[in-house]
Amino acid sequence: MTDTTGRRRFAEEAREERPDLALLCLLIAAEADPGLDERGFDAVQIELDDLAGQLPALGRHAAPRLWAEALADLLGVRYGFRGAPADYRRLESSLLDEVLRRRRGLPILLSVVWLEVARRAGAPAYGVALPGHFVVGFGDPYGQHALADPFDGGRTISEEEAGLLVAGATGTPLSAAAFSPAEPLEIVLRVLNNIRAWAAARPERSGVQLWAVELSLLLPSHPARLRYERAELLVERGEFARGARELEEYAEVIAPVEPDTAETVRHQARAARALLN
């Protein structure tokens, strides 16, 4: 799959009425591994189907805690899916095919596995994008529900325990809104944000940061500042003309509301163009 084909498919899927979360995550993984082709995509989807087929037939109206425990028993206990601190240091922890292969990953990618297996089995599951720690909910998010932490093997947790997890990671308290279901594109953007942060801490991996930014910009909704990050990366990577042009375009966008910042960005663009001489 070429970069152009994969990115066009990513942009098209992101604009579907019901975006396929697994497919979008696989298209992200294909940026990291160009050898991941359609056969690899199919293998991941088949494995998710197979895992779902091993769940007990509880029925959609089963108690949320029963669903949470069934997923934890299958994925956490039987197959050993979970996370560890070292997983934060590996790019593979953000790639769906690698998480399935290694059975290790970041909280959000492990949650994607839980969600995709649950969805195929008919479980009422949804993602919960807590600050600093992604978990999965079962049942009615505004009524009877249960929370599970895939990073801890799917252990069922209370909202109070979730609050402690977040406080430990971010030092901030939780609001009730934090437990609302996360939409697929919110999940995808967060996955890409994790990849960007991983690569930003490793200057030699600026190429990874660049493709993560470029995929983020293909989403229907994304932070405008990503355009500035992309322009800066292009300059850092020696693409001075393109970087300068994108800095100038970004300056025009923000000038009406942030004139001082726009002038600073224009100065950066002039400096980048000077490097062409």
PDB file of all heavy atoms in Angstrom, residues 100-136:
ATOM      1  N   LEU A 100      -1.618  -6.615  19.133  1.00  0.00           N
ATOM      2  CA  LEU A 100      -2.202  -7.958  19.043  1.00  0.00           C
ATOM      3  C   LEU A 100      -1.119  -9.034  19.058  1.00  0.00           C
ATOM      4  O   LEU A 100      -1.287 -10.092  19.671  1.00  0.00           O
ATOM      5  CB  LEU A 100      -3.050  -8.085  17.780  1.00  0.00           C
ATOM      6  CG  LEU A 100      -4.481  -7.575  17.870  1.00  0.00           C
ATOM      7  CD1 LEU A 100      -5.128  -7.566  16.498  1.00  0.00           C
ATOM      8  CD2 LEU A 100      -5.309  -8.394  18.838  1.00  0.00           C
ATOM      9  N   ARG A 101      -0.017  -8.765  18.404  1.00  0.00           N
ATOM     10  CA  ARG A 101       1.064  -9.754  18.342  1.00  0.00           C
ATOM     11  C   ARG A 101       1.762  -9.899  19.690  1.00  0.00           C
ATOM     12  O   ARG A 101       2.007 -11.014  20.146  1.00  0.00           O
ATOM     13  CB  ARG A 101       2.080  -9.351  17.270  1.00  0.00           C
ATOM     14  CG  ARG A 101       3.226 -10.349  17.083  1.00  0.00           C
ATOM     15  CD  ARG A 101       4.219  -9.883  16.034  1.00  0.00           C
ATOM     16  NE  ARG A 101       4.962  -8.705  16.461  1.00  0.00           N
ATOM     17  CZ  ARG A 101       6.046  -8.751  17.250  1.00  0.00           C
ATOM     18  NH1 ARG A 101       6.496  -9.904  17.724  1.00  0.00           N
ATOM     19  NH2 ARG A 101       6.672  -7.634  17.580  1.00  0.00           N
ATOM     20  N   ARG A 102       2.091  -8.771  20.323  1.00  0.00           N
ATOM     21  CA  ARG A 102       2.864  -8.785  21.571  1.00  0.00           C
ATOM     22  C   ARG A 102       1.983  -8.940  22.809  1.00  0.00           C
ATOM     23  O   ARG A 102       2.460  -9.272  23.877  1.00  0.00           O
ATOM     24  CB  ARG A 102       3.667  -7.485  21.696  1.00  0.00           C
ATOM     25  CG  ARG A 102       4.716  -7.272  20.614  1.00  0.00           C
ATOM     26  CD  ARG A 102       5.384  -5.897  20.729  1.00  0.00           C
ATOM     27  NE  ARG A 102       5.958  -5.715  22.053  1.00  0.00           N
ATOM     28  CZ  ARG A 102       5.595  -4.752  22.903  1.00  0.00           C
ATOM     29  NH1 ARG A 102       4.652  -3.876  22.577  1.00  0.00           N
ATOM     30  NH2 ARG A 102       6.174  -4.642  24.080  1.00  0.00           N
ATOM     31  N   ARG A 103       0.681  -8.616  22.644  1.00  0.00           N
ATOM     32  CA  ARG A 103      -0.258  -8.611  23.773  1.00  0.00           C
ATOM     33  C   ARG A 103       0.166  -7.616  24.846  1.00  0.00           C
ATOM     34  O   ARG A 103      -0.068  -7.809  26.034  1.00  0.00           O
ATOM     35  CB  ARG A 103      -0.437 -10.023  24.349  1.00  0.00           C
ATOM     36  CG  ARG A 103      -0.981 -10.984  23.300  1.00  0.00           C
ATOM     37  CD  ARG A 103      -1.127 -12.392  23.785  1.00  0.00           C
ATOM     38  NE  ARG A 103      -1.500 -13.247  22.652  1.00  0.00           N
ATOM     39  CZ  ARG A 103      -1.596 -14.567  22.709  1.00  0.00           C
ATOM     40  NH1 ARG A 103      -1.337 -15.198  23.838  1.00  0.00           N
ATOM     41  NH2 ARG A 103      -1.943 -15.267  21.654  1.00  0.00           N
ATOM     42  N   ARG A 104       0.805  -6.572  24.397  1.00  0.00           N
ATOM     43  CA  ARG A 104       1.257  -5.471  25.244  1.00  0.00           C
ATOM     44  C   ARG A 104       0.988  -4.170  24.502  1.00  0.00           C
ATOM     45  O   ARG A 104       1.033  -4.128  23.278  1.00  0.00           O
ATOM     46  CB  ARG A 104       2.768  -5.569  25.522  1.00  0.00           C
ATOM     47  CG  ARG A 104       3.180  -6.767  26.361  1.00  0.00           C
ATOM     48  CD  ARG A 104       2.727  -6.605  27.815  1.00  0.00           C
ATOM     49  NE  ARG A 104       3.188  -7.689  28.653  1.00  0.00           N
ATOM     50  CZ  ARG A 104       2.552  -8.840  28.818  1.00  0.00           C
ATOM     51  NH1 ARG A 104       1.425  -9.071  28.157  1.00  0.00           N
ATOM     52  NH2 ARG A 104       3.023  -9.764  29.623  1.00  0.00           N
ATOM     53  N   GLY A 105       0.726  -3.100  25.252  1.00  0.00           N
ATOM     54  CA  GLY A 105       0.508  -1.824  24.595  1.00  0.00           C
ATOM     55  C   GLY A 105       0.139  -0.738  25.570  1.00  0.00           C
ATOM     56  O   GLY A 105       0.072  -0.954  26.784  1.00  0.00           O
ATOM     57  N   LEU A 106      -0.099   0.447  25.041  1.00  0.00           N
ATOM     58  CA  LEU A 106      -0.563   1.562  25.853  1.00  0.00           C
ATOM     59  C   LEU A 106      -2.026   1.345  26.230  1.00  0.00           C
ATOM     60  O   LEU A 106      -2.743   0.579  25.573  1.00  0.00           O
ATOM     61  CB  LEU A 106      -0.429   2.872  25.073  1.00  0.00           C
ATOM     62  CG  LEU A 106       0.979   3.328  24.686  1.00  0.00           C
ATOM     63  CD1 LEU A 106       0.921   4.733  24.095  1.00  0.00           C
ATOM     64  CD2 LEU A 106       1.925   3.293  25.875  1.00  0.00           C
ATOM     65  N   PRO A 107      -2.496   2.022  27.271  1.00  0.00           N
ATOM     66  CA  PRO A 107      -3.897   1.849  27.678  1.00  0.00           C
ATOM     67  C   PRO A 107      -4.895   2.039  26.534  1.00  0.00           C
ATOM     68  O   PRO A 107      -5.852   1.271  26.412  1.00  0.00           O
ATOM     69  CB  PRO A 107      -4.077   2.918  28.756  1.00  0.00           C
ATOM     70  CG  PRO A 107      -2.716   3.066  29.365  1.00  0.00           C
ATOM     71  CD  PRO A 107      -1.755   2.895  28.217  1.00  0.00           C
ATOM     72  N   ILE A 108      -4.647   3.022  25.681  1.00  0.00           N
ATOM     73  CA  ILE A 108      -5.630   3.294  24.629  1.00  0.00           C
ATOM     74  C   ILE A 108      -5.652   2.204  23.574  1.00  0.00           C
ATOM     75  O   ILE A 108      -6.719   1.840  23.065  1.00  0.00           O
ATOM     76  CB  ILE A 108      -5.396   4.693  24.011  1.00  0.00           C
ATOM     77  CG1 ILE A 108      -6.572   5.081  23.132  1.00  0.00           C
ATOM     78  CG2 ILE A 108      -4.076   4.750  23.240  1.00  0.00           C
ATOM     79  CD1 ILE A 108      -6.573   6.540  22.729  1.00  0.00           C
ATOM     80  N   LEU A 109      -4.494   1.644  23.197  1.00  0.00           N
ATOM     81  CA  LEU A 109      -4.503   0.574  22.189  1.00  0.00           C
ATOM     82  C   LEU A 109      -5.044  -0.725  22.757  1.00  0.00           C
ATOM     83  O   LEU A 109      -5.748  -1.472  22.070  1.00  0.00           O
ATOM     84  CB  LEU A 109      -3.101   0.387  21.617  1.00  0.00           C
ATOM     85  CG  LEU A 109      -2.822   1.092  20.286  1.00  0.00           C
ATOM     86  CD1 LEU A 109      -3.684   0.537  19.167  1.00  0.00           C
ATOM     87  CD2 LEU A 109      -3.030   2.601  20.401  1.00  0.00           C
ATOM     88  N   LEU A 110      -4.735  -1.021  24.011  1.00  0.00           N
ATOM     89  CA  LEU A 110      -5.349  -2.182  24.649  1.00  0.00           C
ATOM     90  C   LEU A 110      -6.860  -1.988  24.729  1.00  0.00           C
ATOM     91  O   LEU A 110      -7.636  -2.935  24.518  1.00  0.00           O
ATOM     92  CB  LEU A 110      -4.757  -2.387  26.044  1.00  0.00           C
ATOM     93  CG  LEU A 110      -3.301  -2.880  26.054  1.00  0.00           C
ATOM     94  CD1 LEU A 110      -2.686  -2.697  27.442  1.00  0.00           C
ATOM     95  CD2 LEU A 110      -3.209  -4.345  25.629  1.00  0.00           C
ATOM     96  N   SER A 111      -7.289  -0.768  24.986  1.00  0.00           N
ATOM     97  CA  SER A 111      -8.731  -0.483  25.023  1.00  0.00           C
ATOM     98  C   SER A 111      -9.359  -0.670  23.654  1.00  0.00           C
ATOM     99  O   SER A 111     -10.501  -1.134  23.544  1.00  0.00           O
ATOM    100  CB  SER A 111      -8.978   0.942  25.528  1.00  0.00           C
ATOM    101  OG  SER A 111      -8.601   1.072  26.884  1.00  0.00           O
ATOM    102  N   VAL A 112      -8.629  -0.326  22.587  1.00  0.00           N
ATOM    103  CA  VAL A 112      -9.147  -0.558  21.232  1.00  0.00           C
ATOM    104  C   VAL A 112      -9.374  -2.050  21.014  1.00  0.00           C
ATOM    105  O   VAL A 112     -10.396  -2.461  20.451  1.00  0.00           O
ATOM    106  CB  VAL A 112      -8.185   0.018  20.169  1.00  0.00           C
ATOM    107  CG1 VAL A 112      -8.564  -0.468  18.769  1.00  0.00           C
ATOM    108  CG2 VAL A 112      -8.192   1.540  20.214  1.00  0.00           C
ATOM    109  N   VAL A 113      -8.439  -2.889  21.475  1.00  0.00           N
ATOM    110  CA  VAL A 113      -8.633  -4.341  21.367  1.00  0.00           C
ATOM    111  C   VAL A 113      -9.888  -4.751  22.126  1.00  0.00           C
ATOM    112  O   VAL A 113     -10.738  -5.488  21.602  1.00  0.00           O
ATOM    113  CB  VAL A 113      -7.399  -5.100  21.893  1.00  0.00           C
ATOM    114  CG1 VAL A 113      -7.664  -6.609  21.923  1.00  0.00           C
ATOM    115  CG2 VAL A 113      -6.174  -4.803  21.031  1.00  0.00           C
ATOM    116  N   TRP A 114     -10.030  -4.286  23.371  1.00  0.00           N
ATOM    117  CA  TRP A 114     -11.221  -4.615  24.169  1.00  0.00           C
ATOM    118  C   TRP A 114     -12.484  -4.181  23.433  1.00  0.00           C
ATOM    119  O   TRP A 114     -13.458  -4.933  23.331  1.00  0.00           O
ATOM    120  CB  TRP A 114     -11.143  -3.913  25.530  1.00  0.00           C
ATOM    121  CG  TRP A 114     -10.868  -4.783  26.712  1.00  0.00           C
ATOM    122  CD1 TRP A 114     -11.758  -5.143  27.696  1.00  0.00           C
ATOM    123  CD2 TRP A 114      -9.626  -5.406  27.087  1.00  0.00           C
ATOM    124  NE1 TRP A 114     -11.143  -5.931  28.639  1.00  0.00           N
ATOM    125  CE2 TRP A 114      -9.834  -6.111  28.286  1.00  0.00           C
ATOM    126  CE3 TRP A 114      -8.357  -5.437  26.515  1.00  0.00           C
ATOM    127  CZ2 TRP A 114      -8.834  -6.827  28.925  1.00  0.00           C
ATOM    128  CZ3 TRP A 114      -7.342  -6.140  27.135  1.00  0.00           C
ATOM    129  CH2 TRP A 114      -7.586  -6.832  28.330  1.00  0.00           C
ATOM    130  N   LEU A 115     -12.483  -2.946  22.908  1.00  0.00           N
ATOM    131  CA  LEU A 115     -13.676  -2.398  22.254  1.00  0.00           C
ATOM    132  C   LEU A 115     -14.037  -3.178  20.995  1.00  0.00           C
ATOM    133  O   LEU A 115     -15.211  -3.466  20.748  1.00  0.00           O
ATOM    134  CB  LEU A 115     -13.444  -0.926  21.895  1.00  0.00           C
ATOM    135  CG  LEU A 115     -13.421   0.056  23.063  1.00  0.00           C
ATOM    136  CD1 LEU A 115     -12.896   1.418  22.601  1.00  0.00           C
ATOM    137  CD2 LEU A 115     -14.803   0.195  23.681  1.00  0.00           C
ATOM    138  N   GLU A 116     -13.034  -3.518  20.200  1.00  0.00           N
ATOM    139  CA  GLU A 116     -13.304  -4.207  18.949  1.00  0.00           C
ATOM    140  C   GLU A 116     -13.781  -5.636  19.185  1.00  0.00           C
ATOM    141  O   GLU A 116     -14.672  -6.124  18.493  1.00  0.00           O
ATOM    142  CB  GLU A 116     -12.063  -4.189  18.059  1.00  0.00           C
ATOM    143  CG  GLU A 116     -11.779  -2.827  17.459  1.00  0.00           C
ATOM    144  CD  GLU A 116     -12.902  -2.369  16.541  1.00  0.00           C
ATOM    145  OE1 GLU A 116     -13.315  -3.133  15.659  1.00  0.00           O
ATOM    146  OE2 GLU A 116     -13.380  -1.233  16.723  1.00  0.00           O
ATOM    147  N   VAL A 117     -13.211  -6.313  20.168  1.00  0.00           N
ATOM    148  CA  VAL A 117     -13.673  -7.661  20.503  1.00  0.00           C
ATOM    149  C   VAL A 117     -15.082  -7.593  21.086  1.00  0.00           C
ATOM    150  O   VAL A 117     -15.964  -8.377  20.720  1.00  0.00           O
ATOM    151  CB  VAL A 117     -12.695  -8.341  21.482  1.00  0.00           C
ATOM    152  CG1 VAL A 117     -13.264  -9.668  21.988  1.00  0.00           C
ATOM    153  CG2 VAL A 117     -11.343  -8.576  20.794  1.00  0.00           C
ATOM    154  N   ALA A 118     -15.308  -6.635  21.964  1.00  0.00           N
ATOM    155  CA  ALA A 118     -16.631  -6.474  22.586  1.00  0.00           C
ATOM    156  C   ALA A 118     -17.695  -6.152  21.540  1.00  0.00           C
ATOM    157  O   ALA A 118     -18.796  -6.721  21.554  1.00  0.00           O
ATOM    158  CB  ALA A 118     -16.575  -5.378  23.648  1.00  0.00           C
ATOM    159  N   ARG A 119     -17.375  -5.244  20.632  1.00  0.00           N
ATOM    160  CA  ARG A 119     -18.346  -4.854  19.604  1.00  0.00           C
ATOM    161  C   ARG A 119     -18.751  -6.045  18.755  1.00  0.00           C
ATOM    162  O   ARG A 119     -19.933  -6.237  18.457  1.00  0.00           O
ATOM    163  CB  ARG A 119     -17.736  -3.760  18.724  1.00  0.00           C
ATOM    164  CG  ARG A 119     -18.639  -3.287  17.597  1.00  0.00           C
ATOM    165  CD  ARG A 119     -17.982  -2.192  16.782  1.00  0.00           C
ATOM    166  NE  ARG A 119     -16.790  -2.645  16.089  1.00  0.00           N
ATOM    167  CZ  ARG A 119     -16.807  -3.321  14.938  1.00  0.00           C
ATOM    168  NH1 ARG A 119     -17.969  -3.657  14.376  1.00  0.00           N
ATOM    169  NH2 ARG A 119     -15.682  -3.672  14.348  1.00  0.00           N
ATOM    170  N   ARG A 120     -17.782  -6.857  18.377  1.00  0.00           N
ATOM    171  CA  ARG A 120     -18.080  -8.023  17.557  1.00  0.00           C
ATOM    172  C   ARG A 120     -18.943  -9.042  18.289  1.00  0.00           C
ATOM    173  O   ARG A 120     -19.667  -9.803  17.654  1.00  0.00           O
ATOM    174  CB  ARG A 120     -16.765  -8.674  17.098  1.00  0.00           C
ATOM    175  CG  ARG A 120     -16.032  -7.896  16.015  1.00  0.00           C
ATOM    176  CD  ARG A 120     -14.585  -8.347  15.901  1.00  0.00           C
ATOM    177  NE  ARG A 120     -13.934  -7.877  14.684  1.00  0.00           N
ATOM    178  CZ  ARG A 120     -13.498  -6.649  14.496  1.00  0.00           C
ATOM    179  NH1 ARG A 120     -13.624  -5.758  15.481  1.00  0.00           N
ATOM    180  NH2 ARG A 120     -12.929  -6.284  13.366  1.00  0.00           N
ATOM    181  N   ALA A 121     -18.832  -9.052  19.614  1.00  0.00           N
ATOM    182  CA  ALA A 121     -19.617  -9.996  20.410  1.00  0.00           C
ATOM    183  C   ALA A 121     -20.968  -9.426  20.825  1.00  0.00           C
ATOM    184  O   ALA A 121     -21.745 -10.106  21.497  1.00  0.00           O
ATOM    185  CB  ALA A 121     -18.823 -10.387  21.656  1.00  0.00           C
ATOM    186  N   GLY A 122     -21.246  -8.194  20.435  1.00  0.00           N
ATOM    187  CA  GLY A 122     -22.530  -7.577  20.771  1.00  0.00           C
ATOM    188  C   GLY A 122     -22.586  -6.960  22.151  1.00  0.00           C
ATOM    189  O   GLY A 122     -23.680  -6.689  22.661  1.00  0.00           O
ATOM    190  N   ALA A 123     -21.450  -6.723  22.765  1.00  0.00           N
ATOM    191  CA  ALA A 123     -21.429  -6.124  24.106  1.00  0.00           C
ATOM    192  C   ALA A 123     -21.610  -4.614  24.013  1.00  0.00           C
ATOM    193  O   ALA A 123     -21.083  -3.978  23.099  1.00  0.00           O
ATOM    194  CB  ALA A 123     -20.105  -6.438  24.800  1.00  0.00           C
ATOM    195  N   PRO A 124     -22.329  -4.012  24.951  1.00  0.00           N
ATOM    196  CA  PRO A 124     -22.505  -2.552  24.965  1.00  0.00           C
ATOM    197  C   PRO A 124     -21.273  -1.880  25.563  1.00  0.00           C
ATOM    198  O   PRO A 124     -21.249  -1.486  26.734  1.00  0.00           O
ATOM    199  CB  PRO A 124     -23.740  -2.372  25.843  1.00  0.00           C
ATOM    200  CG  PRO A 124     -23.685  -3.517  26.805  1.00  0.00           C
ATOM    201  CD  PRO A 124     -23.063  -4.672  26.046  1.00  0.00           C
ATOM    202  N   ALA A 125     -20.222  -1.748  24.779  1.00  0.00           N
ATOM    203  CA  ALA A 125     -18.949  -1.219  25.272  1.00  0.00           C
ATOM    204  C   ALA A 125     -18.662   0.137  24.642  1.00  0.00           C
ATOM    205  O   ALA A 125     -19.106   0.428  23.530  1.00  0.00           O
ATOM    206  CB  ALA A 125     -17.816  -2.191  24.964  1.00  0.00           C
ATOM    207  N   TYR A 126     -17.906   0.949  25.344  1.00  0.00           N
ATOM    208  CA  TYR A 126     -17.538   2.279  24.841  1.00  0.00           C
ATOM    209  C   TYR A 126     -16.212   2.697  25.469  1.00  0.00           C
ATOM    210  O   TYR A 126     -15.839   2.241  26.554  1.00  0.00           O
ATOM    211  CB  TYR A 126     -18.629   3.312  25.172  1.00  0.00           C
ATOM    212  CG  TYR A 126     -18.980   3.402  26.642  1.00  0.00           C
ATOM    213  CD1 TYR A 126     -18.373   4.359  27.470  1.00  0.00           C
ATOM    214  CD2 TYR A 126     -19.921   2.540  27.210  1.00  0.00           C
ATOM    215  CE1 TYR A 126     -18.681   4.437  28.818  1.00  0.00           C
ATOM    216  CE2 TYR A 126     -20.234   2.610  28.563  1.00  0.00           C
ATOM    217  CZ  TYR A 126     -19.621   3.561  29.359  1.00  0.00           C
ATOM    218  OH  TYR A 126     -19.927   3.638  30.700  1.00  0.00           O
ATOM    219  N   GLY A 127     -15.485   3.540  24.766  1.00  0.00           N
ATOM    220  CA  GLY A 127     -14.216   4.029  25.283  1.00  0.00           C
ATOM    221  C   GLY A 127     -14.423   5.200  26.231  1.00  0.00           C
ATOM    222  O   GLY A 127     -15.349   5.998  26.058  1.00  0.00           O
ATOM    223  N   VAL A 128     -13.552   5.290  27.228  1.00  0.00           N
ATOM    224  CA  VAL A 128     -13.603   6.386  28.207  1.00  0.00           C
ATOM    225  C   VAL A 128     -12.223   7.054  28.215  1.00  0.00           C
ATOM    226  O   VAL A 128     -11.249   6.477  28.703  1.00  0.00           O
ATOM    227  CB  VAL A 128     -13.966   5.878  29.613  1.00  0.00           C
ATOM    228  CG1 VAL A 128     -14.054   7.045  30.592  1.00  0.00           C
ATOM    229  CG2 VAL A 128     -15.292   5.111  29.585  1.00  0.00           C
ATOM    230  N   ALA A 129     -12.173   8.257  27.666  1.00  0.00           N
ATOM    231  CA  ALA A 129     -10.888   8.941  27.475  1.00  0.00           C
ATOM    232  C   ALA A 129     -10.502   9.754  28.710  1.00  0.00           C
ATOM    233  O   ALA A 129     -10.475  10.985  28.679  1.00  0.00           O
ATOM    234  CB  ALA A 129     -10.961   9.832  26.246  1.00  0.00           C
ATOM    235  N   LEU A 130     -10.200   9.065  29.795  1.00  0.00           N
ATOM    236  CA  LEU A 130      -9.762   9.764  30.992  1.00  0.00           C
ATOM    237  C   LEU A 130      -8.421  10.454  30.724  1.00  0.00           C
ATOM    238  O   LEU A 130      -7.598   9.932  29.971  1.00  0.00           O
ATOM    239  CB  LEU A 130      -9.603   8.772  32.153  1.00  0.00           C
ATOM    240  CG  LEU A 130     -10.847   7.985  32.573  1.00  0.00           C
ATOM    241  CD1 LEU A 130     -10.495   7.026  33.697  1.00  0.00           C
ATOM    242  CD2 LEU A 130     -11.964   8.923  32.992  1.00  0.00           C
ATOM    243  N   PRO A 131      -8.191  11.587  31.327  1.00  0.00           N
ATOM    244  CA  PRO A 131      -6.890  12.250  31.134  1.00  0.00           C
ATOM    245  C   PRO A 131      -5.750  11.358  31.612  1.00  0.00           C
ATOM    246  O   PRO A 131      -5.720  10.914  32.755  1.00  0.00           O
ATOM    247  CB  PRO A 131      -7.003  13.504  32.014  1.00  0.00           C
ATOM    248  CG  PRO A 131      -8.462  13.733  32.175  1.00  0.00           C
ATOM    249  CD  PRO A 131      -9.089  12.361  32.186  1.00  0.00           C
ATOM    250  N   GLY A 132      -4.833  11.039  30.714  1.00  0.00           N
ATOM    251  CA  GLY A 132      -3.659  10.265  31.095  1.00  0.00           C
ATOM    252  C   GLY A 132      -3.866   8.771  31.217  1.00  0.00           C
ATOM    253  O   GLY A 132      -2.899   8.027  31.406  1.00  0.00           O
ATOM    254  N   HIS A 133      -5.116   8.293  31.087  1.00  0.00           N
ATOM    255  CA  HIS A 133      -5.329   6.839  31.225  1.00  0.00           C
ATOM    256  C   HIS A 133      -6.673   6.464  30.601  1.00  0.00           C
ATOM    257  O   HIS A 133      -7.734   6.787  31.139  1.00  0.00           O
ATOM    258  CB  HIS A 133      -5.297   6.423  32.693  1.00  0.00           C
ATOM    259  CG  HIS A 133      -5.063   4.951  32.877  1.00  0.00           C
ATOM    260  ND1 HIS A 133      -3.798   4.402  32.927  1.00  0.00           N
ATOM    261  CD2 HIS A 133      -5.933   3.919  32.972  1.00  0.00           C
ATOM    262  CE1 HIS A 133      -3.900   3.079  33.086  1.00  0.00           C
ATOM    263  NE2 HIS A 133      -5.189   2.771  33.102  1.00  0.00           N
ATOM    264  N   PHE A 134      -6.628   5.742  29.479  1.00  0.00           N
ATOM    265  CA  PHE A 134      -7.830   5.346  28.751  1.00  0.00           C
ATOM    266  C   PHE A 134      -8.368   4.033  29.324  1.00  0.00           C
ATOM    267  O   PHE A 134      -7.602   3.108  29.599  1.00  0.00           O
ATOM    268  CB  PHE A 134      -7.493   5.156  27.277  1.00  0.00           C
ATOM    269  CG  PHE A 134      -8.657   5.327  26.353  1.00  0.00           C
ATOM    270  CD1 PHE A 134      -8.863   6.518  25.695  1.00  0.00           C
ATOM    271  CD2 PHE A 134      -9.553   4.287  26.134  1.00  0.00           C
ATOM    272  CE1 PHE A 134      -9.930   6.684  24.815  1.00  0.00           C
ATOM    273  CE2 PHE A 134     -10.620   4.429  25.282  1.00  0.00           C
ATOM    274  CZ  PHE A 134     -10.815   5.638  24.614  1.00  0.00           C
ATOM    275  N   VAL A 135      -9.690   3.951  29.520  1.00  0.00           N
ATOM    276  CA  VAL A 135     -10.318   2.723  30.008  1.00  0.00           C
ATOM    277  C   VAL A 135     -11.543   2.424  29.153  1.00  0.00           C
ATOM    278  O   VAL A 135     -11.880   3.166  28.229  1.00  0.00           O
ATOM    279  CB  VAL A 135     -10.703   2.826  31.509  1.00  0.00           C
ATOM    280  CG1 VAL A 135      -9.469   3.026  32.374  1.00  0.00           C
ATOM    281  CG2 VAL A 135     -11.714   3.948  31.747  1.00  0.00           C
ATOM    282  N   VAL A 136     -12.226   1.327  29.470  1.00  0.00           N
ATOM    283  CA  VAL A 136     -13.405   0.895  28.716  1.00  0.00           C
ATOM    284  C   VAL A 136     -14.604   0.810  29.648  1.00  0.00           C
ATOM    285  O   VAL A 136     -14.486   0.334  30.782  1.00  0.00           O
ATOM    286  CB  VAL A 136     -13.153  -0.478  28.048  1.00  0.00           C
ATOM    287  CG1 VAL A 136     -14.413  -0.994  27.367  1.00  0.00           C
ATOM    288  CG2 VAL A 136     -12.018  -0.365  27.036  1.00  0.00           C
TER     289      VAL A 136
END
